[in-house]
């Protein structure tokens, strides 16, 4: 029993769930916002279709939690998730997300359940981009440090979010991880790609080549380097990785008018972030790395209004 | 018996074979260079590993040809083909290819067999690109009309060849067809792509969107258009096709300093060429379409030195 609970009662545990497509991560906090327990499983939305309430009940049992105040983020709020939480327009500041949570009837007594909505962005040409889940990570990083600028969230679909004064100004997704997987597993380059190779010089060569042409051409140059004996076959994976990340960085640099003075804030696990941090360093762009768990817990504190 | 044969002998038939990775097309000419018969089969180099001589003998039997003067082009001259014909540097004019044919000992009596070498190009950044087979198509188009400019050879790997005065000035390959197949069959977009759809408005939208960012980002916009209800799911295939072709055209346009005044010469089957011709028309770029068989026969006449 803590000072914030009424005598004779137990405060409902605070539970944040980053509920994605394939995986689910649950963060149990005490009423001061300290992380008590983290649980991760593969009950992503693809594996839970039509059984979201049951799946949540099972999770609460696993965590030995009866009543709870729950915040869900990620693809659980998509059309293929539990309840669709309409995308917010970027005119709604990310620092005001706590006012836009969508209540979900979990069907479980003593359980309050709310979903964080994602964001939709229209670029100057009117083309849309979207995020679900990353907005909570960005909120957490903002809660930990007030700085504006580009946030990079590496992943299968790498997200770049430009934030000024707590408001999203731009949002761009790159299919970097997905295209690397597709091209490594199928198609022309897969014939020579040897997985798990990491050749720093080849990564840098791909990174520096990327701005010189369309990705669909530069990827063929990677093949041509091998057939002309200008590059060993086992450099292909690193070169392709450099090319894909270089293509991202070149796009963002152009949109920023070539200006990358403020550190890029990279929110991701060390493994996911390493290549991006390396790329940013090679290109002379300052970067700051954030651990996603710490950032997520900070976001939960903000959403549960436990800011200290 | 024609005027060009010695009395009492029969001129060896002239045979050109476009011997690719998966397929093989054979063109039997008479001694005046007229097409007598065309034969097509699936004896591409992947299916003929280690049995090239036997495969050629079988083909000659099928065509009921004993002795023959044969010219091979395409991947048959690659490292994974019959005999590797080293790439020519672009300093060797394409109109001089007949002086660079590589003799192959076919092991078949009365059969003279020569391979057309491909080309290697280094772009201003020193990045290589290569072609094998397309050089014969370009030669044929040049033999039929003298104009310089960009030649486009659509395919799984779409080739753009810039020719001036019979010499290759630039060579760029785009993995357009391959990436379309990969992304339609696997990954995020494949979930919504309905094959065989052709929606002109979606194709044009993708084409016009392409210059606005990296392909790896624009491809995600295609997904975002669907999840934000800005585009029906069955438009995705056409949009992606427009995006890929638009990415090619934008790259070539930039390299040409924005200048596309001379017609692009498109050498490909009507099916392969249709989308490119449509794209060029939408962007206001003049184009001229060439039938690949006629072009190839013209190349053979040139290589057999039957020019009229």
């Amino acid at each position: 029993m803590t000072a914030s609970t009424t005598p004779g009662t137990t405060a409902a545990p605070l539970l944040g769930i980053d509920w994605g497509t394939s995986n689910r991560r649950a963060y149990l906090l005490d009423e001061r916002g300290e992380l008590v327990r983290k649980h991760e499983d593969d009950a992503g939305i693809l594996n839970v279709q039509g059984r979201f309430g049951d799946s949540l009940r099972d999770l609460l049992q696993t965590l030995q939690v009866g009543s709870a105040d729950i915040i869900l983020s990620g693809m659980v709020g998509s059309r293929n998730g539990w309840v669709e939480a309409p995308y917010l327009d970027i005119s709604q500041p990310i620092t005001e997300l706590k006012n836009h949570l969508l209540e979900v009837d979990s069907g479980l007594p003593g359980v309050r359940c709310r979903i964080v909505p994602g964001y939709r962005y229209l670029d100057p040409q009117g083309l849309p981009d979207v995020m679900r889940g990353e907005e909570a990570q960005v909120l957490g990083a903002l809660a930990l440090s007030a700085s504006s600028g580009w946030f990079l969230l590496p992943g299968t679909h790498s997200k770049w979010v430009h934030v000024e004064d707590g408001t999203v100004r731009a949002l761009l997704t790159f299919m970097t991880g997905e295209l690397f997987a597709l091209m490594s597993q199928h198609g022309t380059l897969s014939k020579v790609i040897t997985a798990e190779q990491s050749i720093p010089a080849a990564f840098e060569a791909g990174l520096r080549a990327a701005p010189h042409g369309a990705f669909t051409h530069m990827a063929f140059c990677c093949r041509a380097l091998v057939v002309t004996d200008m590059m060993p076959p086992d450099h292909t994976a690193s070169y392709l990785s450099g090319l894909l990340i270089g293509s991202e960085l070149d796009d963002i640099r152009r949109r920023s008018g070539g200006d990358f003075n403020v550190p890029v804030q990279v929110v991701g696990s060390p493994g996911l972030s390493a290549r991006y941090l390396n790329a940013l360093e090679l290109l002379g762009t300052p970067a700051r790395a954030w651990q996603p768990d710490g950032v997520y817990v900070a976001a939960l504190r903000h959403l549960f209004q436990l800011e200290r």
Side-chain angles (χ1 to χ4, degrees), chain A residues 87-277:
Chain A
Y87 290 109
L88 289 182
D89 184 83
I90 60 160
S91 61
Q92 304 295 329
I94 209 161
T95 43
E96 299 299 324
L97 270 172
K98 59 181 178 289
N99 302 323
H100 296 282
L101 303 180
L102 180 71
E103 293 272 350
V104 184
D105 179 6
S106 66
L108 305 172
V111 170
R112 183 188 192 196
C113 194
R114 291 171 291 167
I115 294 181
V116 183
Y119 272 97
R120 186 188 79 144
Y121 164 70
L122 291 181
D123 78 6
Q125 280 78 38
L127 288 167
D129 208 320
V130 291
M131 65 176 164
R132 274 197 195 279
E134 293 86 359
E135 71 294 326
Q137 298 283 357
V138 173
L139 172 65
L142 288 172
L144 292 174
S145 89
S147 55
S148 294
W150 282 108
F151 290 77
L152 160 60
L153 301 103
T156 305
H157 294 167
S158 172
K159 303 269 179 190
W160 287 79
V161 188
H162 198 249
V163 180
E164 275 176 20
D165 302 326
T167 298
V168 173
R169 302 294 186 194
L171 161 60
L172 289 103
T173 307
F174 296 82
M175 298 177 81
T176 297
E178 178 170 330
L179 280 166
F180 184 82
L182 285 180
M183 298 176 82
S184 313
Q185 290 161 25
H186 315 275
T188 303
L189 294 181
S190 69
K191 305 285 190 288
V192 290
I193 278 188
T194 45
E196 312 296 344
Q197 291 283 359
S198 187
I199 315 283
F203 178 78
E204 183 171 353
L207 185 73
R208 297 199 186 278
H212 296 305
F215 171 73
T216 61
H217 165 61
M218 302 314 293
F220 186 81
C221 289
C222 176
R223 172 70 182 151
L225 282 164
V226 174
V227 302
T228 56
D229 296 323
M230 292 170 69
M231 185 172 82
D234 67 358
H235 285 207
T236 313
S238 299
Y239 191 91
L240 177 62
S241 173
L243 209 51
L244 280 160
I245 290 176
S247 184
E248 262 182 69
L249 289 169
D250 183 56
D251 184 307
I252 296 292
R253 189 184 53 75
R254 285 174 196 249
R255 287 171 200 264
S256 309
D259 188 10
F260 252 157
N261 292 332
V262 180
V264 174
Q265 318 219 31
V266 184
V267 185
S269 66
L272 273 175
S273 301
R275 284 171 186 268
Y276 284 92
L277 291 168

Side-chain angles (χ1 to χ4, degrees), chain A residues 23 36 45 59 75 79 84 101 106 118 125 140 185 187 200 203 215 218 224 237 258 280 282 291 294 297 301:
Chain A
N23 295 103
V36 174
I45 68 166
L59 175 63
M75 295 306 283
R79 196 164 299 174
E84 185 174 6
L101 303 180
S106 66
Q125 280 78 38
Q185 290 161 25
F203 178 78
F215 171 73
M218 302 314 293
L280 289 163
L282 287 168
Q291 266 287 358
V297 168
R301 282 181 194 140

